[in-house]
Amino acid sequence: MAETVVCPTSDVPEGSVKRFEVGNQPVAVFNLGGSFYATDDECTHGSCSLAEGIVDGEIVECTMHFGAFNIKTGAVEAPPCSIPLRTYKVTVRDDQVVVDLDKEAGE
Ligand code: FES
């Protein structure tokens, strides 16, 4: 899938996260200080939506067992999670958040 326009930037206020379906893929879109990031919405440890998680700086904590990930890199920050979170490239274009499911963040 190529790039997909997900939402206007105003839909995800600073410091927040929201879940969107991109194609059939549930994706969490984060706004960290005005920069946007996207990851898989589902925690790699279980069936829990990270859009329901707690955002603290660059970290999102899963509310199920309190594992945590780095939002920018997907790296595991706290157990019981052991598998990194998949990240996606985000571009902001004309005040729209555009996610590319074929590319990781930083690509
Ligand atoms: Fe997220 Fe267990 S389901 S930490």
Side-chain angles (χ1 to χ4, degrees):
M1 177 182 285
E3 291 182 316
T4 303
V5 176
V6 173
C7 65
T9 53
S10 56
D11 276 12
V12 187
E14 265 191 51
S16 74
V17 52
K18 240 183 202 174
R19 179 185 197 271
F20 296 91
E21 297 285 330
V22 182
N24 292 324
Q25 179 73 37
V27 169
V29 174
F30 300 83
N31 179 342
L32 303 185
S35 296
F36 290 84
Y37 300 89
T39 69
D40 274 342
D41 181 53
E42 189 170 278
C43 179
T44 61
H45 181 249
S47 289
C48 189
S49 168
L50 292 172
E52 306 295 321
I54 298 156
V55 177
D56 183 11
E58 296 182 5
I59 308 298
V60 59
E61 186 179 65
C62 179
T63 54
M64 186 79 88
H65 309 107
F66 307 109
F69 302 92
N70 183 293
I71 293 162
K72 294 182 176 178
T73 66
V76 172
E77 295 281 351
C81 303
S82 59
I83 302 167
L85 192 60
R86 186 156 179 165
T87 63
Y88 300 105
K89 183 178 178 184
V90 178
T91 311
V92 173
R93 206 174 292 141
D94 298 329
D95 293 326
Q96 301 287 318
V97 177
V98 180
V99 173
D100 190 337
L101 291 186
D102 293 333
K103 294 194 173 141
E104 293 191 18
E107 267 189 56

